[in-house]
Amino acid sequence: MALRHAVLAALLDEELSGYQLAKAFDMGVANFWHALPQQLYAELAKLEKEGLVTGREVVQDTRPNKRLFQVTEAGLAELQRFAATANKPSFIRDDLLVKVQAADHVGAGKLIAQLTERAAFADAKIELFGGLLRQMRGDRSEEEFLRHGERIGPYLTCQRGLAFEQGNRDWCRQTAAILRERTAHVRR
Amino acid sequence: MALRHAVLAALLDEELSGYQLAKAFDMGVANFWHALPQQLYAELAKLEKEGLVTGREVVQDTRPNKRLFQVTEAGLAELQRFAATANKPSFIRDDLLVKVQAADHVGAGKLIAQLTERAAFADAKIELFGGLLRQMRGDRSEEEFLRHGERIGPYLTCQRGLAFEQGNRDWCRQTAAILRERTAHVRR
DNA sequence: AGGCCCATGTAATCTGTTACATGATTCC
DNA sequence: GGAATCATGTAACAGATTACATGGGCCT
């Protein structure tokens, strides 16, 4: 039951609509969790019913109206309670890893293409995260920001996201190179 | 629907029972996916009904009997078909990251303890994976093994697992250090 | 004119987790 | 004597994904 806490954590910094939240959870900004719009709308409705967030309608004439949500005191208390509970270990769950596990039995061509594609995707995320980090720390150095900045939580999770994607990219490139060399060797 | 493919990939190298598979998927060996025993028993039953694996009963007198499963030709074909399909991007989904995202609002003490604990857990996995890699390559160098080894799939996925845990450990240590310094500063 | 963005949901299905159930053997 | 390991499941519930549904505004 951690989606609710991810939503609460995301709403700490700013009021967001379900739609904005969905974009954040789809990619990038909220790189500490992932969820689809449907889940978020449902979760926001539950959180509101339980009094952990409150929504206020914002009327727009050029766009459809939207509801902005913010965390209540009860919501913050729930987050704090959650922060004291035990963590499950974090596991990787990735189609591409399953395919590489079977690499010796499935033909390298398609795998190499997929690894290359994934590496490019990781590169895009690396740039995105790099930009977000720069934006958050502003003109301060990283060390200075982490020592005295006000809201370092999102910065720290973004750092993890960045390192994760760098790991992804490096591994994909190296793995693709190895498979490429082996197929070249076999063809000789 | 990737658990079935993870199971097939795990059974490529050796015949395994549901129980052995469960141990592998719980931690370590099959670091490319994760699943609980119940899921695996259910999935094996489905896979057998669909003819993608076959089980053979092994009678043991000192222990309960077990059923060892191996991948059929149809199972291998299914894996190969899967290997050609598109991948979903891989996301991190981690309680601890949610908590760090909210770090500025939840009190650092408990977080620091959890980060330290997670770092120790990562260390244990790093040692485990290091040992597995050494075992797989035997007396060959890594380069030599990756060039000419027969089954490099599990080696490659284990490398990713190792790098992931190293990333985890480093980030946990650094994050804990930052939070520790900030709380020390606040207390002055 | 066609496609994407904003904006919010419902319904059906599939996956994953938690709780329960059994029973012998081996290790401390 | 009590806990851990081997070995296999069922049943109930929670969480996530896929498909469907609506409708105006903006850009090319």
Side-chain angles (χ1 to χ4, degrees), chain A residues 23-160:
Chain A
K23 280 214 306 184
F25 273 74
D26 176 48
M27 147 137 168
V29 189
N31 59 288
F32 60 98
W33 201 263
H34 172 254
L36 297 168
Q38 294 90 328
Q39 248 183 301
L40 293 168
Y41 284 116
E43 197 62 49
L44 283 170
K46 263 199 266 177
L47 286 169
E48 192 179 23
K49 211 172 65 183
E50 294 171 37
L52 305 180
V53 303
T54 40
R56 62 182 185 90
E57 184 105 18
V58 174
V59 179
Q60 303 179 123
D61 37 80
T62 165
R63 312 214 144 283
N65 297 345
K66 61 180 171 183
R67 307 195 64 218
L68 295 180
F69 293 92
Q70 57 185 322
V71 180
T72 64
E73 276 180 49
L76 182 58
E78 171 57 24
L79 243 188
Q80 285 163 347
R81 191 200 59 73
F82 170 70
T85 62
N87 302 297
K88 300 167 196 160
S90 74
F91 290 103
I92 295 183
R93 218 174 238 183
D94 187 345
D95 290 355
L96 193 46
L97 277 173
V98 174
K99 295 176 186 179
V100 171
Q101 173 82 14
D104 308 300
H105 302 80
V106 297
K110 292 241 171 76
L111 268 184
I112 291 166
Q114 290 175 41
L115 287 162
T116 307
E117 190 191 359
R118 175 65 68 85
F121 183 75
D123 257 334
K125 282 202 132 187
I126 287 165
E127 270 193 53
L128 177 69
F129 290 161
L132 285 171
L133 290 171
R134 250 177 279 124
Q135 205 180 302
M136 282 190 263
R137 68 174 174 261
D139 49 4
R140 290 160 289 189
S141 75
E142 182 161 278
E143 214 195 326
E144 169 62 19
F145 173 74
L146 287 172
R147 264 182 222 274
H148 307 299
E150 335 67 45
R151 280 172 293 163
I152 60 164
Y155 196 92
L156 293 167
T157 54
C158 195
Q159 280 189 322
R160 182 69 190 103

Side-chain angles (χ1 to χ4, degrees), chain B residues 110-186:
Chain B
K110 291 242 171 76
L111 267 184
I112 292 166
Q114 289 175 40
L115 287 162
T116 308
E117 191 191 358
R118 174 65 69 86
F121 184 75
D123 258 333
K125 281 201 134 187
I126 287 165
E127 270 193 54
L128 178 68
F129 290 161
L132 286 171
L133 290 171
R134 248 176 282 124
Q135 205 180 303
M136 282 190 263
R137 69 173 173 263
D139 49 5
R140 289 160 289 189
S141 74
E142 182 161 278
E143 214 196 324
E144 169 62 19
F145 173 73
L146 287 173
R147 265 182 220 273
H148 306 299
E150 334 68 43
R151 281 172 293 164
I152 61 164
Y155 195 91
L156 292 167
T157 56
C158 195
Q159 279 189 324
R160 182 68 191 105
L162 178 65
F164 176 69
E165 291 300 345
Q166 282 168 343
N168 254 345
R169 181 198 54 190
D170 294 349
W171 178 80
C172 285
R173 292 245 169 88
Q174 211 212 317
T175 300
I178 288 160
L179 293 177
R180 232 179 275 121
E181 216 184 288
R182 283 169 66 97
T183 48
H185 184 262
V186 162

